[in-house]
């Protein structure tokens, strides 16, 4: 019996040694931390005020804003050494809503420690995710419950997410109620080619005038990135959007002009390393 016990102990020891070797060789530990990305919706240099603020667009038209929503997805951070970290796809979908303060703060966990120099993200939802069965689109992408459903950010008549939605009123509107609304989407089509208004924003932390230009991720502190979203750019870019000419735009060719405009509405305001 003693001989068998000795053999068993030797076997266990060898197995543990093999396991230790396997873990250290094939599963290197990567230290990670977090980055917090804050979206600040503004009108020029002023904070956006839903329903109460009156603003002037590039065409000289007054307008108010009653709703502003947009999806941010497929986030990637670039390090100062040129390498990058892509946020796992299923953790990389967010719906920013001006009417919901919490939705404007995106906390990205499991980010490898290091110094980061920029961020890249999609404004909208990529085509692969858009064509997945609804049962596979959960969380913020759930079309039956949650903010996507509450904010009507999905077209059932033309299946696909509304990437950006802005609504309000204007004296220049040609609608009977004096409102305007721009609902911009289009991922390229499921079975045939259609509008593709997917846009990507690429921002360098070093482009702002403040001193801190690098986001330092450590295991104990999470840098804060503050991104300005200037909605005046929705009306003023490659195409000057006039409410008097287009008081409502949805799934139509002109929507590509608005998407081209808002693709440039983001800029880095500040980087804070705690």
């Amino acid at each position: 019996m003693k001989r068998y016990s000795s053999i068993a102990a030797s076997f266990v020891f060898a197995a543990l040694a093999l396991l230790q070797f396997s873990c250290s060789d094939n599963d290197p530990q990567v230290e990670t931390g977090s980055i917090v990305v804050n979206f600040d919706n503004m009108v020029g240099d002023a904070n956006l005020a839903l329903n109460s603020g009156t603003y002037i667009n590039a065409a000289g038209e007054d307008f108010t804003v009653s709703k502003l929503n947009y999806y941010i997805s497929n986030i990637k951070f670039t390090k100062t050494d040129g390498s990058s970290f892509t946020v796992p796809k299923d953790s990389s979908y967010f719906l920013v809503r001006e009417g919901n303060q919490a939705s404007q703060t995106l906390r990205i966990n499991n980010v490898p420690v290091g110094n980061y120099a920029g961020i890249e993200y999609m404004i909208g939802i990529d085509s692969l995710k858009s064509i997945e069965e609804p049962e596979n689109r959960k969380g913020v992408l759930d079309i039956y419950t949650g903010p996507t459903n509450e904010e009507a950010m999905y077209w059932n008549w033309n299946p696909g997410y509304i990437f950006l939605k802005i609504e309000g009123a204007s004296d220049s509107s040609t609608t009977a109620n004096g409102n305007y609304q721009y609902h911009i989407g289009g991922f390229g089509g499921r079975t045939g080619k259609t509008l593709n208004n997917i846009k990507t924003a690429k921002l360098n932390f070093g482009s702002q005038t403040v001193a801190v230009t690098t986001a330092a991720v450590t295991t104990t502190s999470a840098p804060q990135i503050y991104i300005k979203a200037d909605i005046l750019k929705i009306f003023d870019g490659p195409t000057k959007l006039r409410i008097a000419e287009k008081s409502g735009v949805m799934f139509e060719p002109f929507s590509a002009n608005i998407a081209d405009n808002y693709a440039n509405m983001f800029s880095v305001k500040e980087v804070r390393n705690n």
Side-chain angles (χ1 to χ4, degrees):
M1 178 64 71
K2 185 175 182 180
R3 178 169 175 269
Y4 289 125
S5 297
S6 177
I7 292 174
S10 298
F11 177 78
V12 171
F13 177 80
L16 290 174
L18 180 61
L19 178 62
Q20 183 178 17
F21 174 79
S22 175
C23 290
S24 61
D25 187 54
N26 298 325
D27 300 313
Q29 296 295 313
V30 176
E31 291 187 319
T32 61
S34 302
I35 294 181
V36 179
V37 183
N38 302 278
F39 283 86
D40 192 359
N41 299 318
M42 303 183 70
V43 188
D45 293 327
N47 287 320
L48 172 61
L50 286 182
N51 301 308
S52 59
T54 299
Y55 311 104
I56 304 296
N57 65 18
E61 302 170 314
D62 67 90
F63 69 98
T64 64
V65 180
S66 58
K67 186 180 288 292
L68 174 69
N69 302 325
Y70 51 85
Y71 286 101
I72 297 297
S73 68
N74 291 271
I75 299 170
K76 181 171 74 175
F77 295 102
T78 303
K79 284 186 172 180
T80 54
D81 64 4
S83 62
S84 62
F85 168 69
T86 299
V87 179
K89 200 172 182 63
D90 287 338
S91 300
S92 196
Y93 294 98
F94 300 91
L95 177 57
V96 177
R97 294 173 284 163
E98 176 60 19
N100 183 299
Q101 185 69 36
S103 73
Q104 298 162 33
T105 299
L106 285 52
R107 186 177 185 89
I108 312 296
N109 296 321
N110 301 315
V111 178
V113 300
N115 295 322
Y116 290 84
I119 182 174
E120 183 176 329
Y121 52 84
M122 188 176 291
I123 311 160
I125 306 299
D126 55 277
S127 57
L128 289 178
K129 179 58 72 174
S130 294
I131 64 174
E132 284 188 6
E133 294 303 317
E135 292 73 21
N136 296 329
R137 291 183 259 129
K138 296 299 184 182
V140 75
L141 297 181
D142 195 320
I143 62 176
Y144 301 116
T145 63
T148 291
N149 178 265
E150 295 164 4
E151 300 286 349
M153 293 295 288
Y154 190 83
W155 285 314
N156 289 309
W157 54 272
N158 178 36
Y161 292 90
I162 299 171
F163 300 161
L164 179 141
K165 173 184 286 189
I166 182 170
E167 298 177 351
S170 172
D171 289 337
S172 298
S173 174
T174 57
T175 62
N177 57 11
N179 292 336
Y180 71 87
Q181 57 180 16
Y182 305 121
H183 298 176
I184 311 302
F187 61 87
R190 177 187 293 266
T191 57
K193 187 176 181 180
T194 65
L195 281 168
N196 187 337
N197 283 325
I198 295 174
K199 299 297 177 184
T200 299
K202 187 175 183 179
L203 307 175
N204 294 320
F205 299 153
S207 61
Q208 74 276 25
T209 57
V210 298
V212 179
T213 59
T214 300
V217 177
T218 73
T219 57
T220 57
S221 63
Q224 301 256 347
I225 312 300
Y226 292 85
I227 294 177
K228 171 183 177 181
D230 181 3
I231 67 165
L232 285 180
K233 300 292 180 63
I234 297 175
F235 297 90
D236 188 21
T239 298
K240 186 171 291 184
L241 173 60
R242 298 178 184 275
I243 298 173
E245 296 176 352
K246 292 285 186 181
S247 297
V249 175
M250 291 192 184
F251 196 74
E252 60 183 89
F254 188 84
S255 66
N257 298 317
I258 299 176
D260 286 340
N261 282 358
Y262 69 60
N264 298 310
M265 75 176 186
F266 299 98
S267 61
V268 176
K269 285 178 60 182
E270 186 178 3
V271 176
R272 296 180 188 173
N273 290 312
N274 298 323

